[in-house]
Amino acid sequence: MGDGEALVVVSNFSSKEITFRLADHHWADLSAAGQDKLLLGNTGEGLAFTQELRLSPYASYMWLISQN
């Protein structure tokens, strides 16, 4: 990764669906950065990168966040 890039990984290690919410200050920094690209996900759905994420059991996702 270069300057102006961040890697965000969110995983659910439980057998129940969960909601994960990024803290406001982290979301402000990441959403202001610009473009997000889903690099990896272990479910059939392409989960969009949002402040509040609903994760199915054992789901894991990785996004690359880049400045425009």
Side-chain angles (χ1 to χ4, degrees):
M1 288 187 311
D3 290 339
E5 293 182 321
L7 191 63
V8 177
V9 179
V10 180
S11 298
N12 177 6
F13 295 106
S14 76
S15 61
K16 297 181 183 195
E17 184 175 279
I18 64 163
T19 299
F20 175 82
R21 187 176 196 289
L22 285 157
D24 290 340
H25 63 281
H26 289 304
W27 176 248
D29 290 344
L30 293 170
S31 62
Q35 186 176 2
D36 62 87
K37 179 180 179 183
L38 179 63
L39 299 178
L40 182 65
N42 69 340
T43 67
E45 61 190 76
L47 188 64
F49 182 66
T50 59
Q51 185 173 12
E52 195 166 283
L53 301 162
R54 293 185 63 87
L55 299 174
S56 58
Y58 306 109
S60 188
Y61 295 93
M62 181 187 320
W63 292 271
L64 177 64
I65 313 298
S66 304
Q67 289 182 344
N68 288 332

